[in-house]
Amino acid sequence: MNLILLGAPGAGKGTQAAILAKELNIPTISTGNILRAAVASGSELGKQAKACMESGALVSDEIIIGIIRDRLAEPDCANGYILDGVPRTIPQAEALEENGIKFDHVVSMEIADKTILERMSGRRVCPKCGASYHITAVPPKKEGVCDECGSELITRKDDAPETVKSRLAVYHKETEPLKEFYRSRGVLVQVEDQGSVEATSAAILKVLKE
Ligand code: AMP
């Protein structure tokens, strides 16, 4: 099964992708996590992406298309995958189509900007494995420590309130038109945020089984 999780920054795509990946036994591919790892390692890719990411702007389509093409060619993607945070623009979606990649479902996670702004201040992420937490909604077992790999959790620089506002503006302008793109291909499903991680994943799994 090939899936896309679409939604504003902070909608909970990473959290839901991790749950769905376990449930469906397919990998999650997050361009945000791949880019953050590149920035942390100081690679050429990381150097190119760093400033865009910190300001809340999008990294160029060319870079993203290259990353995703390489990643989808890896063997663990053979039985399907969940894309988290990609495609984010119409040219990225077109590039996937041009490579013959089709999606069974594109799940648009619907949530008000106001709720996102309230939530983002509590988000913590693992700089090593990319797992994401929330200090009250999805706390790690031990405060400040990743359940998956034991690394110290951090606050993302781009989760500062002013940056979140500009990331939301970028989402509405560049990414939201993808809903129409995938609706016209008959694969869009919209799932309202249910207020808790468990209720939202149950709602997503329900529509995937319909
Ligand atoms: P995310 O973790 O998905 O919120 O991504 C963090 C940041 O990485 C974004 O604000 C962008 O700067 C960059 N990024 C991640 N995925 C993409 C993408 N598909 N297209 C462009 N930029 C991206």
Side-chain angles (χ1 to χ4, degrees):
M1 183 180 306
N2 294 348
L3 292 181
I4 296 175
L5 287 184
L6 205 63
K13 298 187 296 298
T15 303
Q16 293 300 334
I19 295 171
L20 293 174
K22 276 191 189 143
E23 191 76 27
L24 304 170
N25 202 21
I26 49 178
T28 291
I29 297 159
S30 153
T31 39
N33 285 350
I34 293 171
L35 291 167
R36 275 185 289 282
V39 171
S41 77
S43 68
E44 197 45 47
L45 169 65
K47 282 182 199 146
Q48 286 172 17
K50 192 168 190 270
C52 279
M53 292 177 75
E54 286 181 357
S55 70
L58 293 183
V59 171
S60 78
D61 288 332
E62 201 189 343
I63 290 182
I64 297 295
I65 292 165
I67 293 177
I68 202 77
R69 201 182 285 144
D70 291 350
R71 182 61 186 91
L72 295 185
E74 286 180 32
D76 65 329
C77 292
N79 294 325
Y81 40 79
I82 302 165
L83 298 190
D84 159 15
V86 65
R88 239 167 162 117
T89 63
I90 297 277
Q92 292 178 20
E94 287 172 345
L96 289 167
E97 270 192 359
E98 282 157 18
N99 279 278
I101 298 166
K102 292 212 168 69
F103 295 93
D104 300 288
H105 303 281
V106 175
V107 179
S108 173
M109 297 177 57
E110 306 290 338
I111 178 168
D113 287 5
K114 187 172 161 282
T115 316
I116 289 178
L117 282 162
E118 285 161 8
R119 259 191 206 174
M120 293 293 258
S121 58
R123 174 149 83 169
R124 300 291 181 272
V125 296
C126 173
K128 190 149 178 248
C129 75
S132 95
Y133 300 88
H134 186 279
I135 48 174
T136 52
V138 194
K141 292 193 185 88
K142 182 165 177 240
E143 197 183 320
V145 177
C146 179
D147 292 348
E148 306 290 331
C149 72
S151 302
E152 199 175 322
L153 301 178
I154 57 160
T155 303
R156 280 171 50 172
K157 267 195 191 155
D158 59 349
D159 279 350
E162 281 319 304
T163 315
V164 172
K165 280 187 196 150
S166 46
R167 291 168 67 206
L168 283 169
V170 170
Y171 169 75
H172 291 302
K173 182 164 180 276
E174 305 282 349
T175 308
E176 220 169 8
L178 290 176
K179 286 200 232 170
E180 215 32 67
F181 182 94
Y182 287 115
R183 186 178 288 123
S184 73
R185 279 137 178 91
V187 289
L188 185 80
V189 286
Q190 288 173 276
V191 176
E192 291 292 331
D193 185 83
Q194 302 292 312
S196 78
V197 170
E198 295 74 20
T200 303
S201 54
I204 295 175
L205 283 165
K206 184 163 173 274
V207 297
L208 294 184
K209 283 174 186 154
E210 273 167 7

